């Protein structure tokens, strides 16, 4: 038979070609699966929506991981006969995209304001198209079998309609509201951002200890502040002025002295004996002369600093809450770009850090700075531009999350949505229980503009599905739309249903595929996205958006660094470079088999090399099989079971056990283990043993078997092909390209076309059926017998290596086989071929009296003697060194005895009561075998004495 496979596997020759072919044939489309008879319209279905990558993002290993896991699931369910939809799309990524385009404009010396809102947005769309093409092409390189004809974008018409519908519905139910609160503010992006977009960064800072004078009977405070001096700082100060005459002080520590200017109270813990006597008194805020109360609040930590804290409701979340509890004024002392404003008095116009230095210097001059300590603390920074966040009071739109979070938690409690791994559930609950209202307005232009109009006459709000022309309250035409856009995550939160046609609940895809099956993502995005999809999905559709949340770990480099945006420029781990070097299959296989749900993995170039070698190993195996096939091949199914020899029965049994195990592992999300088992089967059993054993019949047609020559070959040929073909199906979700390339080269369509004419479903592996276990081929006896044969061969090979016997040199052997005499007699040809024994000098008897000069190998109750008495002229080992042989056997015996001791103590302990019966039984059998070996070794040692 002609061999269609080139000498070695080069991924570059196949991957892009195959992907294009799959896509052109429509195999990614669920309709095609029905057309091919692989699935039916009313049968089971399976759906996953691809997490939308940022349209401006470059492909990184995080994407590769997502693609590998999701495509693995998709291919599995497709082959299982589910009508399968893997829906791709991308995200407009509000702040990220706007920043990228603003940077581009900046190169031309322009700002978005120079262009104006409309022209700026048009510019972003131009860039979006460029970026979108790039990210799509890159994503395809990963082999994702998603239906590109259904691709969605968060700003496309359908999704924008979904966003509008969601907002209006929430508005009418009072679940979104406008309010003035403290929000996280990025002074560079000049926008509010959500809690999740704030990245804490450990910083070496300072703790400044300062004191405020207390007003009492002897002293009622300084005169009003002086006007600022010309041109700058410290205008309100003159040495000694603020503390002059004061007899009592309250001392506190702060990491942000510039916010002092917004202080409206000092707080202490009510039980703090150091300060209790001051509660209710008034302190003076130096620099401004503001009189502020000393209050008691449980939230104050007496262990921090001096136990007294300044309260700045406009610039700190905790202080804001204290302020609300005590009715304090919130004094905002900064502009939206973090400059000090007019309320900062003498510091107005300074930048926040400049102001910090001035305030510290002035306090020192006044003798009001008592000490400075180094202090490590976390500073919130903007996820997008890394600028320090400035909490800021501002008017924003919020989603009322409490009722939505309750429903989402209930869904997880009820098991309507299961989180894998389970331990992540605790994090989910903890976060949901402590959730704060979600700030959804952003002061940007790129995104879904908030569909609320304000009336200039009655100041009423109008929020409807269609753009209003008049105020809904007073009918005035003097209305204007909110300038802000919605947080990107608001539209991402609708993804599992907006992409399927919602709000049209009669849309065919929504009816067929919603709720979807899985949300698969990195665990660090659980709250950003999953929690919001759950909340919005349940509220808007009445159903949880998916049955399972599968969280994979983060990918790290060999050195353990998280691969994230900042790592994108590390060439070596750029997925496109990895694919270039090792192939997409190797990357996918490595990501899938090195990871455990929710645990991080290190990407290691040795693993990538190993995976690439594996693709080549499969290729070589396929080449071997193809070159040994003949036309007019007998299909395995038409061969009677009686014609199978031990290696056939063994490999068929192992294959079916593998199918069973892989199915179980897939259903329990243990994908990595499934991949490893398929690898071990193909490499360690099929290639290393079955192919080698099959050569006996393929190359040396046996005369002893009595069959005609051709018939003898037909059996291993059929088994070789069947096992390879089936294993390619199992491996396909992990390594789609090499398996498809091999499968295409196999002779007959290995499955009959399921329906209709032409090549039907048999034309591509991607639409082939997932194998089912054939219980009739499970054969425990064959597995045990083959295991014994292989152990014996391994033992002989080891001793050949030990004694430097020339590879390929056939040697004599005497085997005392006991009960296994007949079995090993039948395996004579295999033993001779694989252990390179001389058939004419091989004796297999129940018992044997060995000659003195032998090497002994014990396997169970089989003892094999190798009389390595070979002449130096033959270039072989000299006489067996009996002393060395005794030492070797003694050390073998010691090892066996250690294993016996371990096994005995295991069986004597809790294990025997607690482990399942069959596991205990297996341990007992193992112990019995070890004892047999021990006896045989002892016997042999005695003989050598
Ligand atoms: Zn920013
Ligand atoms: Zn009005």
């Amino acid at each position: 038979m002609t061999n269609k496979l080139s000498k070695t596997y080069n991924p570059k020759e196949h991957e892009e070609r195959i992907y294009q072919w799959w896509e052109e044939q429509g195999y990614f489309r669920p309709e095609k699966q029905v057309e091919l008879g692989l699935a039916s319209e009313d049968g089971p279905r399976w759906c996953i929506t691809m997490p939308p990558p940022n349209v401006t993002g470059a492909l990184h290993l995080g994407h590769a991981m997502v693609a590998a896991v999701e495509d693995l699931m998709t291919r599995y369910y497709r082959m299982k006969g589910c009508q399968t939809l893997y829906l791709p799309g991308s995200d407009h990524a509000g702040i990220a995209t706007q920043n990228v385009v603003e940077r581009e404009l900046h190169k031309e010396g322009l700002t978005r304001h120079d262009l104006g809102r409309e022209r700026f947005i048009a510019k972003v769309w131009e860039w979006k198209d460029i970026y979108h093409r790039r990210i799509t092409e890159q994503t395809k390189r990963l082999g994702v079998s998603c239906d590109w004809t259904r691709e969605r974008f968060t700003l496309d018409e359908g999704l924008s309609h979904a966003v509008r519908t969601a907002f209006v519905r929430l508005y009418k139910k009072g679940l979104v509201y406008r309010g003035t609160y403290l929000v996280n503010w990025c002074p560079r992006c000049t926008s509010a951002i959500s809690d999740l977009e704030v990245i804490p960064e450990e910083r070496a800072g300072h703790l400044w200890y300062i004191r405020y004078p207390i007003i009492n009977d002897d002293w009622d405070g300084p005169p009003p502040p002086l006007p600022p001096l010309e041109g700058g700082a410290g205008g309100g100060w003159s040495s000694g002025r603020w503390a002059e005459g004061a007899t009592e002080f309250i001392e506190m520590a702060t990491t942000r002295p510039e916010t002092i200017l917004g202080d409206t109270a000092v707080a202490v813990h009510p039980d703090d004996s150091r300060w209790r006597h001051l509660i209710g008194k008034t302190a003076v805020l130096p620099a401004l002369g503001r009189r502020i109360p000393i209050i008691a609040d449980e939230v104050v930590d007496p262990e921090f600093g001096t136990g007294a804290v300044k309260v700045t409701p406009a610039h700190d979340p905790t202080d804001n809450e204290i302020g609300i509890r005590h009715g304090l004024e919130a004094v905002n002392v900064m502009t939206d770009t973090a400059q000090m404003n007019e309320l900062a008095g003498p510091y107005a116009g300074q930048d926040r850090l400049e102001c910090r230095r001035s305030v510290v210097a002035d306090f020192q001059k006044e003798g009001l700075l008592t000490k400075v300590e180094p202090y490590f603390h976390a500073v919130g920074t903007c996820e997008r531009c890394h600028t320090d966040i400035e909490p800021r009071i501002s008017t924003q739109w919020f989603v009322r999350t409490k009722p939505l979070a309750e429903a989402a938690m209930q869904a997880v409690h009820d098991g309507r949505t299961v989180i894998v791994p389970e331990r992540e559930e605790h994090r989910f609950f903890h976060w949901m229980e402590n959730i704060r209202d979600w700030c959804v307005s952003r002061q940007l232009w790129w995104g879904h503009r908030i569909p609320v109009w304000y009336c200039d006459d009655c100041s009423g709000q109008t929020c409807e599905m269609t753009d209003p022309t008049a105020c809904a309250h007073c009918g005035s035409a003097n209305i204007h739309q909110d300038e802000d856009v919605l947080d990107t995550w608001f539209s991402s939160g609708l993804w599992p249903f907006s992409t399927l046609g919602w709000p049209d609940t009669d849309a065919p895809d929504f009816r067929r595929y919603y709720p979807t099956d899985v949300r698969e993502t990195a665990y660090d995005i659980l709250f950003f996205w999953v929690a919001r999809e759950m909340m919005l999905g349940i509220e808007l559709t009445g159903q949880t958006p998916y049955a399972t949340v599968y969280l994979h770990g983060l990918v790290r480099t060999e050195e353990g660094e998280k691969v994230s945006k900042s790592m994108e420029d590390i060439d070596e781990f750029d997925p496109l470079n990895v694919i270039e070097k090792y192939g997409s299959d190797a990357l996918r296989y490595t990501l899938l088999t090195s990871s455990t749900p929710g645990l991080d993995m290190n990407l290691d170039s040795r693993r990538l090399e190993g995976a690439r070698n594996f693709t080549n190993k499969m290729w070589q195996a396929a080449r071997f099989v193809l070159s040994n096939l003949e036309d007019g091949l007998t299909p395995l199914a038409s061969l009677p079971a009686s014609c199978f020899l031990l290696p056939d029965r063994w490999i068929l049994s192992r294959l079916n056990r593998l199918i069973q195990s892989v199915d179980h592992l897939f259903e329990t999300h243990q994908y990595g283990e499934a991949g490893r088992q398929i690898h071990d089967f193909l490499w360690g059993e099929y290639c290393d043993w079955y192919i080698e054993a099959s050569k006996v019949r393929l190359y040396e047609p046996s005369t002893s078997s009595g069959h005609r020559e051709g018939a003898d070959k037909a059996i291993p040929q059929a088994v070789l092909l069947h096992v390879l073909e089936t294993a390619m199906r199992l491996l396909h979700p992990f390594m789609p390209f090499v398996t498809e390339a091999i499968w295409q080269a196999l002779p007959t369509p290995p499955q009959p076309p399921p329906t209709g004419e032409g090549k039907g479903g048999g034309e591509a592996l991607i639409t082939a059926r997932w194998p089912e276990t054939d219980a009739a081929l499970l054969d425990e006896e064959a597995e045990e017998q083959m295991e014994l044969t292989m152990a014996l061969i391994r033992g002989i090979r080891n001793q050949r290596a030990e004694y430097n016997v020339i590879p390929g040199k056939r040697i004599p052997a005497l085997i005392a086989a006991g009960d296994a005499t007949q079995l090993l007699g039948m395996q004579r040809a295999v033993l001779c071929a694989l252990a390179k024994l001389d058939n004419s000098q091989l004796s297999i008897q129940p018992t044997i009296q060995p000659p003195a000069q032998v090497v002994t190998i014990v396997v169970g109750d089989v003892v094999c003697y190798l009389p390595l008495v070979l002449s130096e002229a033959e270039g072989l080992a000299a006489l067996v060194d009996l002393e060395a042989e005794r030492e070797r056997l003694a050390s073998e015996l010691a090892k066996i005895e250690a294993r016996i001791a371990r096994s005995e103590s295991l069986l004597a302990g809790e294990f025997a009561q607690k482990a399942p019966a069959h596991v205990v039984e297996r341990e007992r059998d193992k112990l019995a075998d070890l004892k047999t070996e021990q006896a045989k070794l002892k016997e042999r040692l005695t003989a050598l004495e």
Side-chain angles (χ1 to χ4, degrees):
M1 181 164 274
T2 48
N3 209 328
K4 294 182 197 153
L5 302 180
S6 58
K7 269 207 158 124
T8 54
Y9 179 68
N10 180 0
K12 281 185 210 154
E13 286 168 23
H14 302 279
E15 294 188 348
E16 283 182 70
R17 169 184 70 82
I18 289 175
Y19 191 86
Q20 210 181 351
W21 177 68
W22 283 333
E23 200 183 347
E24 281 166 8
Q25 294 299 310
Y27 293 138
F28 305 157
R29 308 203 60 219
E31 291 77 10
K32 180 75 175 182
Q33 296 148 26
V34 174
E35 197 184 300
L36 292 171
L38 183 68
S40 71
E41 295 279 5
D42 47 8
R45 56 80 176 157
W46 192 84
C47 178
I48 185 168
T49 55
M50 181 190 282
N54 284 359
V55 73
T56 52
L59 197 74
H60 57 74
L61 281 174
H63 293 126
M65 186 70 170
V66 165
V69 177
E70 294 182 357
D71 193 53
L72 170 102
M73 296 175 175
T74 303
R75 287 175 189 271
Y76 172 73
Y77 287 103
R78 187 185 291 121
M79 293 174 82
K80 276 282 211 186
C82 297
Q83 193 181 12
T84 300
L85 173 60
Y86 183 12
L87 194 148
S90 51
D91 189 324
H92 67 282
I95 294 187
T97 309
Q98 180 157 330
N99 281 352
V100 170
V101 178
E102 282 189 271
R103 269 203 298 277
E104 294 297 333
L105 285 177
H106 187 74
K107 287 181 195 159
E108 301 165 32
L110 294 170
T111 70
R112 63 172 150 135
H113 300 284
D114 296 330
L115 269 69
R117 189 163 189 149
E118 229 165 273
R119 280 178 59 210
F120 177 76
I121 290 176
K123 196 96 201 148
V124 184
W125 276 102
E126 279 170 34
W127 279 98
K128 180 257 166 192
D129 289 337
I130 298 168
Y131 284 122
H132 177 255
R133 262 196 305 281
R134 190 186 65 178
I135 191 88
T136 306
E137 267 162 37
Q138 293 179 343
T139 307
K140 288 181 175 183
R141 296 288 303 274
L142 299 165
V144 285
S145 58
C146 46
D147 183 357
W148 293 103
T149 66
R150 282 176 162 88
E151 186 186 3
R152 304 310 298 268
F153 179 57
T154 45
L155 278 178
D156 68 25
E157 208 180 307
L159 269 64
S160 297
H161 177 61
V163 167
R164 177 85 174 243
T165 308
F167 189 91
V168 172
R169 283 197 195 166
L170 295 174
Y171 179 88
K172 300 213 157 167
K173 280 186 82 174
L175 290 168
V176 286
Y177 64 93
R178 194 170 187 235
T180 302
Y181 295 98
L182 194 75
V183 295
N184 304 298
W185 184 265
C186 173
R188 208 237 41 106
C189 298
T190 59
S191 177
I193 62 175
S194 73
D195 292 350
L196 287 169
E197 288 160 311
V198 178
I199 308 302
E201 217 177 271
E202 268 310 303
R203 292 269 177 79
H206 293 96
L207 205 50
W208 285 275
Y209 286 78
I210 49 170
R211 45 183 201 155
Y212 293 174
I214 304 288
I215 290 176
N216 56 32
D217 299 344
D218 307 327
W219 187 76
D220 70 349
L226 297 174
L229 291 179
E230 280 298 308
W237 299 81
S238 68
S239 189
R241 177 183 162 89
W242 292 104
E244 204 177 2
T247 50
E248 211 174 359
F249 294 87
I250 186 159
E251 186 182 332
M252 65 216 102
T254 178
T255 57
R256 297 199 304 155
E258 68 278 13
T259 63
I260 280 170
L261 305 163
D263 282 3
T264 51
V266 174
V268 299
H269 193 276
D271 303 333
D272 191 336
S273 59
R274 289 169 295 179
W275 302 117
R276 206 164 21 202
H277 64 287
L278 291 180
I279 295 170
K281 292 200 167 186
T282 302
V284 175
L285 170 62
L288 299 178
R290 185 184 298 146
R291 291 169 185 237
I292 57 177
I294 295 167
I295 57 172
D297 196 289
E298 300 266 348
V299 83
V300 177
D301 174 13
E303 304 291 314
F304 176 79
T306 63
V309 294
K310 58 197 262 339
V311 182
T312 325
H315 292 277
D316 181 273
T318 313
D319 292 8
N320 191 259
E321 283 162 22
I322 298 177
I324 291 168
R325 274 199 291 279
H326 297 268
L328 299 172
E329 199 189 337
V331 180
N332 181 358
V333 295
M334 289 183 211
T335 67
D336 61 3
T337 52
Q339 307 282 312
M340 306 313 289
N341 65 19
E342 68 288 352
L343 295 177
Y347 304 95
Q350 294 187 6
D351 169 77
R352 56 181 161 170
L353 288 182
E354 191 186 343
C355 175
R356 174 179 297 183
R357 285 189 292 273
S358 311
V359 166
V360 169
D362 290 342
F363 266 76
Q364 187 164 27
K365 223 163 31 186
E366 290 287 314
L368 293 172
L369 178 74
T370 50
K371 65 177 166 172
V372 184
E373 282 176 355
Y375 188 66
F376 282 89
H377 63 137
V379 176
T381 64
C382 172
E383 192 206 13
R384 293 297 165 194
C385 73
H386 313 295
T387 303
D388 287 5
I389 289 306
E390 194 60 56
R392 179 182 166 86
I393 294 276
S394 78
T395 304
Q396 304 285 347
W397 284 94
F398 294 85
V399 169
R400 205 179 296 284
T401 43
K402 278 270 181 274
L404 306 184
E406 288 295 329
M409 284 191 284
Q410 197 54 47
V412 175
H413 272 303
D414 296 350
R416 275 176 287 150
T417 293
V418 175
I419 298 178
V420 179
E422 206 187 330
R423 63 175 177 278
E424 294 290 332
E425 272 188 13
H426 300 290
R427 282 211 311 141
F428 177 81
F429 286 129
H430 182 259
W431 193 79
M432 284 299 220
E433 277 157 13
N434 295 291
I435 196 164
R436 300 200 307 165
D437 282 356
W438 169 21
C439 173
V440 290
S441 43
R442 295 291 179 275
Q443 287 64 53
L444 304 172
W445 288 349
W446 175 243
H448 300 99
R449 193 157 166 189
I450 292 177
V452 174
W453 279 256
Y454 305 102
C455 178
D456 299 330
D457 293 329
C458 76
S459 58
Q461 296 171 3
T462 306
C463 175
E464 295 295 342
M465 278 308 294
T466 50
D467 294 1
T469 50
C471 169
H473 307 278
C474 74
S476 164
N478 287 332
I479 54 172
H480 65 274
Q481 190 178 0
D482 196 301
E483 292 293 322
D484 293 349
V485 300
L486 286 165
D487 180 5
T488 300
W489 294 101
F490 188 86
S491 47
S492 306
L494 312 176
W495 192 249
F497 42 100
S498 62
T499 52
L500 293 172
W502 186 90
D504 177 6
T505 48
D506 270 334
D509 277 0
F510 185 79
R511 290 172 62 121
R512 177 67 170 145
Y513 297 108
Y514 191 79
T516 66
D517 290 271
V518 183
R519 164 59 63 234
E520 186 283 331
T521 187
Y523 69 78
D524 64 343
I525 219 159
L526 181 64
F527 308 125
F528 260 112
W529 191 28
V530 177
R532 278 136 180 203
E533 283 183 326
M534 294 276 293
M535 292 193 290
L536 293 174
I538 295 170
E539 171 60 29
L540 295 166
T541 71
Q543 285 174 292
T544 70
Y546 23 71
T548 304
V549 174
Y550 178 87
L551 300 167
H552 63 250
L554 302 177
V555 188
R556 291 169 197 273
T557 62
E558 272 162 269
E559 287 74 36
E561 285 172 77
K562 177 181 166 188
V563 178
S564 63
K565 286 148 219 104
S566 59
M567 297 280 298
E568 272 165 24
D569 14 283
I570 294 189
D571 280 349
E572 199 190 340
F573 292 100
D574 176 335
L576 297 176
N577 287 348
V578 173
I579 290 172
E580 196 62 23
K581 198 166 169 197
Y582 303 99
S584 184
D585 281 337
L587 174 59
R588 289 173 57 124
Y589 184 83
T590 305
L591 290 171
L592 289 166
T593 54
S594 315
S595 66
T596 318
L599 292 181
D600 295 347
M601 64 159 288
N602 292 351
L603 189 73
D604 182 328
S605 49
R606 278 164 307 182
R607 282 177 184 271
L608 287 165
E609 256 161 55
R612 184 186 53 194
N613 294 345
F614 181 42
T615 57
N616 203 42
K617 184 80 178 176
M618 290 311 94
W619 194 256
Q620 298 312 328
R623 276 173 56 81
F624 171 83
V625 173
L626 285 171
S627 63
N628 283 289
L629 294 184
E630 288 161 3
D631 296 329
L633 194 71
T634 325
L636 187 85
S638 59
L639 291 169
S642 60
C643 69
F644 294 134
L645 300 186
L646 177 64
D648 309 325
R649 287 166 54 210
W650 167 74
I651 199 73
L652 291 169
S653 179
R654 296 297 302 153
L655 175 70
N656 281 282
R657 234 177 261 295
L658 177 71
I659 298 170
Q660 219 171 29
S661 171
V662 167
D663 253 329
H664 167 75
L665 293 168
F666 263 87
E667 296 302 332
T668 51
H669 308 288
Q670 301 177 72
Y671 307 114
E673 178 58 20
R676 286 187 287 273
Q677 289 190 6
I678 297 166
H679 168 278
D680 292 352
F681 170 81
L682 272 164
W683 196 310
E685 299 189 305
Y686 181 68
C687 292
D688 285 356
W689 290 99
Y690 187 75
I691 285 186
E692 291 310 311
S694 74
K695 288 178 181 169
V696 173
R697 281 176 288 167
L698 294 172
Y699 296 165
E700 309 159 22
S702 159
T703 44
S704 62
S705 68
H707 292 298
R708 347 183 240 108
E709 204 169 283
D712 205 20
K713 278 188 180 182
I715 295 154
Q717 283 169 345
V719 174
L720 279 168
L721 181 61
H722 172 80
V723 175
L724 177 67
E725 194 272 316
T726 311
M728 287 304 103
R729 295 181 201 229
L730 295 173
L731 187 60
H732 181 71
F734 295 88
M735 295 186 146
F737 294 111
V738 68
T739 52
E740 182 75 86
I742 289 174
W743 206 79
Q744 291 298 328
L746 298 181
T748 49
Q751 59 180 349
T755 53
E757 295 160 32
K759 290 158 100 186
E763 67 193 11
L765 179 54
I766 184 174
T767 51
R769 284 207 183 275
W770 189 252
E772 276 173 34
T773 309
D774 181 350
L777 291 172
L778 292 174
D779 189 337
E780 210 160 311
E781 186 191 57
E783 288 185 45
E784 269 172 31
Q785 292 179 344
M786 188 67 187
E787 194 43 60
L788 173 70
T789 311
M790 293 190 298
L792 189 58
I793 292 167
R794 273 189 221 107
I796 297 170
R797 284 176 177 172
N798 287 346
Q799 291 318 307
R800 289 176 62 107
E802 195 93 342
Y803 281 88
N804 295 318
V805 176
I806 289 178
K809 171 72 191 169
R810 295 201 175 263
I811 56 170
L814 308 168
I815 302 177
D819 294 343
T821 306
Q822 197 196 357
L823 161 72
L824 293 177
M826 305 263 291
Q827 297 314 308
R828 202 178 174 89
V830 171
L831 287 170
C832 286
L834 271 55
K836 293 281 172 278
L837 301 179
D838 180 349
N839 192 27
S840 64
Q841 294 185 74
L842 170 61
S843 172
I844 304 172
Q845 305 291 334
T847 56
I848 275 174
Q849 192 54 46
Q853 290 283 336
V854 290
V855 172
T856 310
I857 297 150
V858 179
V859 179
D861 65 349
V862 174
V863 184
C864 172
Y865 305 103
L866 300 181
L868 293 175
V869 193
L870 304 161
S871 74
E872 300 224 19
E874 289 176 277
L876 300 174
L879 291 178
V880 173
D881 176 344
L882 286 182
E883 188 51 42
E885 176 68 358
R886 259 197 299 275
E887 268 172 37
R888 187 180 67 80
L889 290 174
S891 104
E892 291 269 293
L893 181 63
K895 273 186 228 154
I896 295 281
E897 285 174 343
R899 288 174 62 192
I900 288 175
R902 263 203 304 278
S903 181
E904 279 175 340
S905 84
L906 194 61
L907 285 166
E910 277 184 10
F911 169 81
Q913 279 93 49
K914 291 197 173 162
H918 71 277
V919 176
V920 177
E921 197 49 42
R922 206 183 310 145
E923 189 61 35
R924 291 218 168 88
D925 287 351
K926 196 181 97 188
L927 180 60
D929 288 348
L930 288 170
K931 287 197 163 161
T932 315
E933 280 192 32
Q934 179 193 31
K936 296 279 174 189
L937 281 166
K938 277 186 174 162
E939 201 178 296
R940 184 61 196 152
L941 273 166
T942 317
L944 286 177
E945 264 160 18

